[in-house]
Amino acid sequence: MEGRCYCGRSYIMKTSWTDLNPGRRYSICSNFREAGGCSFFSCMDPPVCERSRQIIPGLLRRVNKLENDVTKLEKEVGRRRSTEVKLWLGLAVSWLLMA
């Protein structure tokens, strides 16, 4: 969703993943962070309940850890496959040399 803010520039919608506002959508001016920039800021969603504020950050940390673990495992599988290919090639070459 795109619209115009106080300074006439377009604003953008983002989602907060801070511990205080997990999953809360808000609109902010594309000029917000610039020196002398626009101060347009508007929350789109109501605040989440206290229980959600306790649970969501922990779940996000778990998901991020699992994604990192999967990435590490994929790299390890790739290394092992590479080693396996090298061993098979070495075995094939040794058989050719013996024949």
Side-chain angles (χ1 to χ4, degrees):
M1 183 170 136
E2 192 173 309
R4 300 277 172 205
C5 65
Y6 307 138
C7 68
R9 286 190 178 185
S10 61
Y11 64 79
I12 51 177
M13 190 182 335
K14 294 187 171 194
T15 303
S16 170
W17 292 112
T18 64
D19 288 351
L20 293 177
N21 292 305
R24 193 170 180 192
R25 294 175 305 157
Y26 62 95
S27 295
I28 189 169
C29 178
S30 56
N31 191 28
F32 189 78
R33 299 264 182 223
E34 294 177 20
C38 182
S39 62
F40 180 82
F41 179 89
S42 174
C43 286
M44 306 297 283
D45 297 327
V48 295
C49 69
E50 184 61 36
R51 182 73 175 140
S52 294
R53 277 190 226 143
Q54 293 170 355
I55 293 173
I56 292 174
L59 292 174
L60 290 172
R61 283 190 291 275
R62 274 184 170 170
V63 166
N64 289 336
K65 183 184 180 313
L66 290 172
E67 287 174 347
N68 288 336
D69 291 348
V70 167
T71 301
K72 288 178 187 175
L73 289 172
E74 287 171 342
K75 287 180 183 177
E76 180 64 26
V77 167
R79 281 193 291 269
R80 289 186 182 204
R81 281 190 183 141
S82 175
T83 301
E84 182 181 1
V85 167
K86 290 175 187 174
L87 289 172
W88 279 108
L89 285 173
L91 181 62
V93 169
S94 69
W95 284 349
L96 288 173
L97 291 174
M98 289 182 8

